[in-house]
Amino acid sequence: MTGLALEGGAKCSAFTAGVLDYFWENGVRFDAACGVSAGAGCLANFKSGQAGRSLGIMTPERGDRYIGLRSVVAHRALINLDAMVTGFGDIRDFDFDAYLADGTRADFVAVCCETGEAEYLADGGDPDRLVLAVKASCSVPVLCRPVEVDGKHYLDGSVADSVPYAHLLETGCDRVVAVLTRPWGAHPTNYARIRPLLAQLYERRYPALFRRLMGRAEDYRASLARLAELEAEGAVTVIRPAEPAPPKFTNDNALVRSFYAHGRSRAAEAMKRTGGIGR
């Protein structure tokens, strides 16, 4: 079985959108896939076969922006999570029938606030459940409120499992393609730098989550070190940018589209280098 692991990164995931659109257009499919944060949204659109949809959500027109003060006033959060996940609050253009017909097993990573552990949420064959799973995976600490699923509360999965290749290997895949959104050597988000704020928000109510946030940068580096070992062994193919990523929450659509085009070119290079990707 061949798996697909998708890192998050907000607007940096335009790179992932480019990789996946190129894959779809060239008939590349996978047995299983696992997406984190914005990578979860990209995965949903890949399974539904809607090339271009992820890029469209990442490049809204000025009046449709879902990040900023307007969202704070209207939704009491810096990010309007509903609009970001569904495409400006309207999921009617999402082809759920095609999503279900696609044979790829999909999991969406979120961190459980109560335990501090990564959980791998499935869609359950239900459109509302799919949206909820992707929202949970995308709910950025501080900027978004936790998303409740089955009585538990979740935030952005990158806090606990930024590149979910291990989950795919543990659940039956013998080969994995991992799409990263940062070039080699880029520094991970270090939540310890805002420890006082995070302590105020989470330490008393969600102590396990708080500890996970404090160790996130170290966990990320360890995950990439193991990924490099697996890449050297030939168990994982890594596709990463060869140029700097745009700011995560940029409103410069030209920068986002350029990074999307870079993703397409890196996907083409990877297919040529490996002689074939996917099942």
Side-chain angles (χ1 to χ4, degrees), residues 60-66 70:
E61 298 300 324
R62 189 175 188 85
D64 290 325
R65 290 177 182 170
Y66 45 79
R70 179 182 298 180

PDB file of all heavy atoms in Angstrom, residues 60-66 70:
ATOM      1  N   PRO A  60      -8.528  34.191  -1.621  1.00  0.00           N
ATOM      2  CA  PRO A  60      -9.826  34.862  -1.683  1.00  0.00           C
ATOM      3  C   PRO A  60      -9.710  36.292  -2.169  1.00  0.00           C
ATOM      4  O   PRO A  60      -8.654  36.929  -2.035  1.00  0.00           O
ATOM      5  CB  PRO A  60     -10.292  34.826  -0.222  1.00  0.00           C
ATOM      6  CG  PRO A  60      -9.024  34.835   0.560  1.00  0.00           C
ATOM      7  CD  PRO A  60      -8.065  33.997  -0.239  1.00  0.00           C
ATOM      8  N   GLU A  61     -10.782  36.782  -2.741  1.00  0.00           N
ATOM      9  CA  GLU A  61     -10.838  38.197  -3.078  1.00  0.00           C
ATOM     10  C   GLU A  61     -10.897  39.001  -1.787  1.00  0.00           C
ATOM     11  O   GLU A  61     -11.232  38.486  -0.719  1.00  0.00           O
ATOM     12  CB  GLU A  61     -12.050  38.487  -3.960  1.00  0.00           C
ATOM     13  CG  GLU A  61     -12.024  37.763  -5.305  1.00  0.00           C
ATOM     14  CD  GLU A  61     -10.821  38.149  -6.139  1.00  0.00           C
ATOM     15  OE1 GLU A  61     -10.405  39.336  -6.092  1.00  0.00           O
ATOM     16  OE2 GLU A  61     -10.275  37.266  -6.831  1.00  0.00           O
ATOM     17  N   ARG A  62     -10.614  40.280  -1.887  1.00  0.00           N
ATOM     18  CA  ARG A  62     -10.490  41.112  -0.698  1.00  0.00           C
ATOM     19  C   ARG A  62     -11.717  41.016   0.220  1.00  0.00           C
ATOM     20  O   ARG A  62     -11.604  40.857   1.433  1.00  0.00           O
ATOM     21  CB  ARG A  62     -10.250  42.568  -1.105  1.00  0.00           C
ATOM     22  CG  ARG A  62      -9.899  43.471   0.069  1.00  0.00           C
ATOM     23  CD  ARG A  62      -9.552  44.879  -0.406  1.00  0.00           C
ATOM     24  NE  ARG A  62      -9.047  45.678   0.702  1.00  0.00           N
ATOM     25  CZ  ARG A  62      -7.794  45.688   1.114  1.00  0.00           C
ATOM     26  NH1 ARG A  62      -6.901  44.922   0.519  1.00  0.00           N
ATOM     27  NH2 ARG A  62      -7.416  46.439   2.128  1.00  0.00           N
ATOM     28  N   GLY A  63     -12.896  41.063  -0.341  1.00  0.00           N
ATOM     29  CA  GLY A  63     -14.111  41.047   0.462  1.00  0.00           C
ATOM     30  C   GLY A  63     -14.417  39.704   1.083  1.00  0.00           C
ATOM     31  O   GLY A  63     -15.258  39.617   1.980  1.00  0.00           O
ATOM     32  N   ASP A  64     -13.737  38.643   0.626  1.00  0.00           N
ATOM     33  CA  ASP A  64     -14.001  37.295   1.129  1.00  0.00           C
ATOM     34  C   ASP A  64     -12.931  36.791   2.088  1.00  0.00           C
ATOM     35  O   ASP A  64     -12.947  35.625   2.470  1.00  0.00           O
ATOM     36  CB  ASP A  64     -14.095  36.309  -0.046  1.00  0.00           C
ATOM     37  CG  ASP A  64     -15.347  36.517  -0.880  1.00  0.00           C
ATOM     38  OD1 ASP A  64     -16.381  36.862  -0.282  1.00  0.00           O
ATOM     39  OD2 ASP A  64     -15.270  36.351  -2.099  1.00  0.00           O
ATOM     40  N   ARG A  65     -12.003  37.651   2.493  1.00  0.00           N
ATOM     41  CA  ARG A  65     -10.915  37.203   3.352  1.00  0.00           C
ATOM     42  C   ARG A  65     -11.442  36.704   4.693  1.00  0.00           C
ATOM     43  O   ARG A  65     -12.335  37.305   5.276  1.00  0.00           O
ATOM     44  CB  ARG A  65      -9.907  38.334   3.567  1.00  0.00           C
ATOM     45  CG  ARG A  65      -9.103  38.651   2.304  1.00  0.00           C
ATOM     46  CD  ARG A  65      -8.170  39.816   2.525  1.00  0.00           C
ATOM     47  NE  ARG A  65      -7.437  40.134   1.299  1.00  0.00           N
ATOM     48  CZ  ARG A  65      -6.683  41.230   1.142  1.00  0.00           C
ATOM     49  NH1 ARG A  65      -6.572  42.104   2.133  1.00  0.00           N
ATOM     50  NH2 ARG A  65      -6.056  41.443   0.004  1.00  0.00           N
ATOM     51  N   TYR A  66     -10.876  35.602   5.135  1.00  0.00           N
ATOM     52  CA  TYR A  66     -11.347  34.964   6.357  1.00  0.00           C
ATOM     53  C   TYR A  66     -10.356  35.109   7.502  1.00  0.00           C
ATOM     54  O   TYR A  66     -10.524  34.502   8.560  1.00  0.00           O
ATOM     55  CB  TYR A  66     -11.641  33.484   6.109  1.00  0.00           C
ATOM     56  CG  TYR A  66     -10.560  32.768   5.301  1.00  0.00           C
ATOM     57  CD1 TYR A  66      -9.374  32.347   5.878  1.00  0.00           C
ATOM     58  CD2 TYR A  66     -10.743  32.535   3.937  1.00  0.00           C
ATOM     59  CE1 TYR A  66      -8.404  31.719   5.148  1.00  0.00           C
ATOM     60  CE2 TYR A  66      -9.770  31.889   3.182  1.00  0.00           C
ATOM     61  CZ  TYR A  66      -8.602  31.481   3.797  1.00  0.00           C
ATOM     62  OH  TYR A  66      -7.633  30.863   3.050  1.00  0.00           O
ATOM     63  N   ARG A  70     -11.827  41.809  10.595  1.00  0.00           N
ATOM     64  CA  ARG A  70     -13.235  41.589  10.257  1.00  0.00           C
ATOM     65  C   ARG A  70     -13.736  40.278  10.856  1.00  0.00           C
ATOM     66  O   ARG A  70     -14.863  40.192  11.351  1.00  0.00           O
ATOM     67  CB  ARG A  70     -13.415  41.593   8.742  1.00  0.00           C
ATOM     68  CG  ARG A  70     -14.859  41.348   8.301  1.00  0.00           C
ATOM     69  CD  ARG A  70     -14.970  41.313   6.788  1.00  0.00           C
ATOM     70  NE  ARG A  70     -14.589  42.580   6.196  1.00  0.00           N
ATOM     71  CZ  ARG A  70     -14.589  42.820   4.885  1.00  0.00           C
ATOM     72  NH1 ARG A  70     -14.947  41.870   4.041  1.00  0.00           N
ATOM     73  NH2 ARG A  70     -14.216  43.992   4.416  1.00  0.00           N
TER      74      ARG A  70
END
